[in-house]
Amino acid sequence: MARGRADDPDHGVELLWRAGDREPRQGLSLPRIVRAAVELADDEGLAGLSMRKVADRLGFTTMSLYRHVPGRGQLVDLMLDEVLGEHPQAPETGGWRARLEAVARHAWEIRKRHPWLAEVRGSRHVPGPNAVAHYDYMLSTLAGTALRPSEVIAVVGMVGRFVDAEALVLVETRREERRSGVSEEEWWGSRDSLYERLDRYPTLSHLWTAGGWDHPEDSFDFGLRRLLDGVEVLVRQRDEIRDEMCAECGGPLEPAPSGRPRVYCSRACQQRAYRRRRNG
Amino acid sequence: MARGRADDPDHGVELLWRAGDREPRQGLSLPRIVRAAVELADDEGLAGLSMRKVADRLGFTTMSLYRHVPGRGQLVDLMLDEVLGEHPQAPETGGWRARLEAVARHAWEIRKRHPWLAEVRGSRHVPGPNAVAHYDYMLSTLAGTALRPSEVIAVVGMVGRFVDAEALVLVETRREERRSGVSEEEWWGSRDSLYERLDRYPTLSHLWTAGGWDHPEDSFDFGLRRLLDGVEVLVRQRDEIRDEMCAECGGPLEPAPSGRPRVYCSRACQQRAYRRRRNG
DNA sequence: CTTTGCTGTTTATGCCGTACACATAGTAGT
DNA sequence: ACTACTATGTGTACGGCATAAACAGCAAAG
């Protein structure tokens, strides 16, 4: 096995989704390689992850890895699913907002433990079972709202990108601090030759003297709150619309004589929805 | 010149902020290097930007570049400011929301022209004059609101990261499509071996059959709207608070007998604010 | 006329991913 | 029991990357 060329995605799917491989008592094995790679990336970041170093860590030659993994790219895919498997989503209760916030904070925690997660780039990473489980759970937080399917997907995508963007700045500052031995604050504090030239920028100067940089907001908390507020605006909007129209055909909804809120405009629509739910 | 080592940030400041260098009629020069590098990155992305290729494009040897630029990192800093200089911020009118949206869309356009902008990583890029001008303008859009200084800064940071995150997925898909000759849609459409395994994920399946992926939201437009909605919630909240307290000392505000909204609680506060505005 | 500094070149070091040919060992088939 | 095949690990090599260090030519300054 592992004979597929590095650019055969289907082989990657196979590697990701086959479960419970027996691990040989000695020698290399895919899970061992992946775990070593995760450790390495935790220590040195994704840029510091090289096939050579992974092999060294395991006490084998570089090329031995290629007997088990098609290449570096696929190794990263496998690492992704590995760490998501270590942090299963704990089902939360509450409204959509509480659950979505919990899911975002969970992703944030995972990225603090494995900072390289946010550094993974590329649009064609085959998701493994754990990644899909996470994604499905994120989607489920909004499934109960009146958001349209495409909107649910868009919101989840946005939240994911938000967490990654925040994690990315975090890991970058951390790494530069570790590499140079100079803290971010110190480094920027030493840029006098830069600050000398900033007088001519009015708003910047004003916010500076007003102390805007002295007690900055927590970037993640602040951003997450704004983001959820923005989603909430949309959810409320959709809820209002839902209250006025048929959930199946979108037609107008006459108020029920009983005063109880109606969902479908006719018995026909109600049954169509029921059948759709059974089949799909 | 250009004798500073690659890890001397002050030398980078010097390079970025000195204006109007005379360009020699022939031979290398910093502006020519930067322009060639921008062209290259436009074509091949930031990962495709190498000192070798820049030098080739100019018809010089690799090492000749190092006579003018300390290293690749500083070159990227210079490229950043170069392209921001090509797209000056057009002053917009309107409320904070219209202006902030315009500024975000402007940044989005720049990133579509120079996709590598979003790929620039690292927390210690010295900003050049054009970068600072852009930043100052972004800050100014919110200066008229009741947001606290730290909140203005946080919002601007969030918007910037949002645009970069969206630009990043765009450039990544584009590049993979160009590299492989297979469109994103085709590629994912060919992953049958993956889709076979997704039945067990309920929300995912439900949204799939509901057609959530058939007509996806425009990621940038959708996200920007949510984001601005979220900021608006905060602005409104702060405005309410502002209406109830003194803009200078934060103390309670008694309603004026005339009914006209008051801003300061006392003449003393009004004068303090006036003096502060004159000095800062 | 020589010294100095600016500019470009040459060579070399140490990373990286991975293609390819080879060695070895265990196993299935006869 | 002998053979052929397969799985697994190794060694060497190629092309690409950033950049350090030494060197060569040339122009202006002394």
Side-chain angles (χ1 to χ4, degrees):
Chain A
M1 70 197 59
R3 311 246 78 248
R5 290 277 40 78
D7 48 353
D8 171 17
D10 287 330
H11 181 223
V13 175
E14 207 50 51
L15 251 33
L16 276 159
W17 285 82
R18 71 173 179 207
D21 261 12
R22 74 283 178 235
E23 285 202 39
R25 293 217 176 276
Q26 61 192 25
L28 275 175
S29 77
L30 203 151
R32 275 203 263 273
I33 292 173
V34 173
R35 278 196 297 271
V38 168
E39 281 176 29
L40 214 182
D42 286 347
D43 289 351
E44 309 191 21
L46 205 64
L49 175 83
S50 77
M51 301 301 269
R52 278 166 168 76
K53 285 194 242 176
V54 173
D56 281 354
R57 202 170 262 248
L58 290 162
F60 289 84
T61 60
T62 309
M63 292 312 292
S64 66
L65 304 184
Y66 287 88
R67 291 290 169 203
H68 304 261
V69 184
R72 198 193 117 115
Q74 315 263 16
L75 177 56
V76 172
D77 286 356
L78 290 158
M79 292 164 62
L80 265 169
D81 219 59
E82 165 78 13
V83 299
L84 292 182
E86 290 169 6
H87 301 268
Q89 201 71 255
E92 298 275 341
T93 57
W96 68 265
R97 180 160 178 157
R99 290 180 68 209
L100 186 56
E101 176 170 348
V103 110
R105 291 192 183 280
H106 185 230
W108 179 237
E109 289 305 320
I110 297 177
R111 273 150 191 73
K112 281 203 279 198
R113 237 181 278 280
H114 304 288
W116 52 270
L117 270 177
E119 302 182 283
V120 177
R121 300 263 65 91
S123 58
R124 292 182 185 180
H125 291 278
V126 177
N130 298 317
V132 177
H134 274 253
Y135 189 48
D136 188 75
Y137 184 76
M138 289 183 78
L139 292 170
S140 79
T141 61
L142 290 157
T145 66
L147 291 185
R148 294 197 261 265
S150 64
E151 291 171 336
V152 171
I153 293 159
V155 168
V156 167
M158 183 175 50
V159 171
R161 282 190 294 278
F162 165 75
V163 174
D164 271 341
E166 296 295 333
L168 210 45
V169 321
L170 189 70
V171 58
E172 276 160 6
T173 61
R174 287 248 180 99
R175 204 180 322 293
E176 302 233 45
E177 285 180 348
R178 199 143 65 102
R179 196 181 51 74
S180 66
V182 182
S183 85
E184 202 70 3
E185 219 171 315
E186 280 177 286
W187 193 88
W188 284 106
S190 309
R191 296 284 72 71
D192 294 339
S193 59
L194 172 63
Y195 299 130
E196 283 167 11
R197 332 220 188 194
L198 300 186
D199 298 337
R200 312 186 337 117
Y201 300 91
T203 316
L204 194 60
S205 307
H206 175 253
L207 288 171
W208 176 265
T209 59
W213 276 272
D214 298 341
H215 304 290
E217 302 291 319
D218 179 297
S219 187
F220 181 80
D221 282 350
F222 181 89
L224 183 58
R225 188 160 318 206
R226 293 326 128 216
L227 209 156
L228 292 173
D229 278 350
V231 174
E232 187 165 338
V233 170
L234 181 67
V235 171
R236 279 201 218 279
Q237 189 179 324
R238 289 279 173 274
D239 273 333
E240 279 170 25
I241 291 175
R242 175 161 68 172
D243 291 348
E244 291 160 11
M245 63 191 216
C246 172
E248 178 64 18
C249 71
L253 210 60
E254 282 144 83
S258 66
R260 200 155 55 88
R262 295 181 81 160
V263 178
Y264 303 103
C265 67
S266 65
R267 176 149 261 132
C269 272
Q270 182 185 356
Q271 292 193 350
R272 253 201 299 278
Y274 175 73
R275 277 196 299 274
R276 267 211 322 155
R277 215 171 302 152
R278 287 205 70 178
N279 301 335
Chain B
M1 69 200 62
R3 309 245 82 248
R5 290 275 42 77
D7 47 355
D8 171 17
D10 287 330
H11 181 221
V13 174
E14 207 51 50
L15 251 33
L16 276 158
W17 285 83
R18 71 172 180 208
D21 261 11
R22 76 282 178 235
E23 285 203 40
R25 294 218 175 276
Q26 61 192 25
L28 275 176
S29 75
L30 202 152
R32 274 203 265 273
I33 292 173
V34 173
R35 277 196 298 270
V38 168
E39 280 177 29
L40 214 182
D42 285 349
D43 289 351
E44 308 192 22
L46 206 64
L49 175 83
S50 77
M51 301 301 268
R52 277 164 167 71
K53 286 194 241 176
V54 174
D56 282 353
R57 202 171 262 247
L58 290 162
F60 289 86
T61 60
T62 309
M63 293 309 293
S64 67
L65 304 184
Y66 288 88
R67 289 288 167 204
H68 304 262
V69 184
R72 199 194 118 114
Q74 316 262 15
L75 177 56
V76 172
D77 286 356
L78 290 158
M79 293 164 62
L80 265 168
D81 219 59
E82 165 80 12
V83 300
L84 292 182
E86 290 169 4
H87 301 268
Q89 202 72 255
E92 299 274 341
T93 56
W96 68 265
R97 179 160 178 156
R99 291 180 67 209
L100 186 57
E101 176 170 349
V103 109
R105 291 192 182 280
H106 185 230
W108 179 236
E109 290 304 321
I110 297 177
R111 272 149 191 76
K112 281 205 279 199
R113 237 180 277 281
H114 304 288
W116 52 270
L117 270 176
E119 302 182 284
V120 177
R121 301 263 65 90
S123 58
R124 293 183 185 180
H125 291 278
V126 177
N130 298 317
V132 177
H134 275 253
Y135 189 48
D136 189 74
Y137 184 78
M138 289 182 79
L139 292 170
S140 79
T141 62
L142 290 158
T145 66
L147 292 186
R148 294 198 263 265
S150 64
E151 291 171 337
V152 171
I153 294 160
V155 168
V156 167
M158 182 172 52
V159 171
R161 283 189 294 278
F162 166 76
V163 174
D164 271 341
E166 295 295 335
L168 209 45
V169 320
L170 190 71
V171 57
E172 275 160 7
T173 62
R174 288 248 179 100
R175 206 181 320 292
E176 301 234 44
E177 285 181 347
R178 200 144 63 102
R179 196 182 49 76
S180 66
V182 182
S183 85
E184 201 71 1
E185 219 170 314
E186 280 178 286
W187 193 88
W188 283 106
S190 308
R191 296 282 73 71
D192 294 339
S193 59
L194 172 62
Y195 298 128
E196 283 167 11
R197 332 221 187 193
L198 300 186
D199 299 336
R200 311 180 344 114
Y201 301 90
T203 316
L204 193 61
S205 308
H206 175 254
L207 288 171
W208 176 264
T209 60
W213 276 272
D214 298 341
H215 305 290
E217 302 291 319
D218 179 297
S219 186
F220 181 80
D221 282 350
F222 181 89
L224 184 57
R225 188 159 318 206
R226 293 326 128 214
L227 208 155
L228 292 173
D229 279 351
V231 174
E232 186 164 339
V233 169
L234 181 67
V235 171
R236 278 200 218 280
Q237 189 179 323
R238 290 278 174 275
D239 273 333
E240 279 170 26
I241 291 176
R242 175 160 68 171
D243 292 346
E244 292 160 10
M245 61 190 216
C246 171
E248 177 62 19
C249 70
L253 210 61
E254 281 144 84
S258 66
R260 200 155 57 87
R262 294 181 83 159
V263 178
Y264 302 103
C265 67
S266 64
R267 176 150 260 132
C269 272
Q270 183 185 355
Q271 292 192 350
R272 254 201 300 278
Y274 175 73
R275 276 196 299 275
R276 267 210 325 154
R277 215 171 301 153
R278 287 203 71 176
N279 300 336

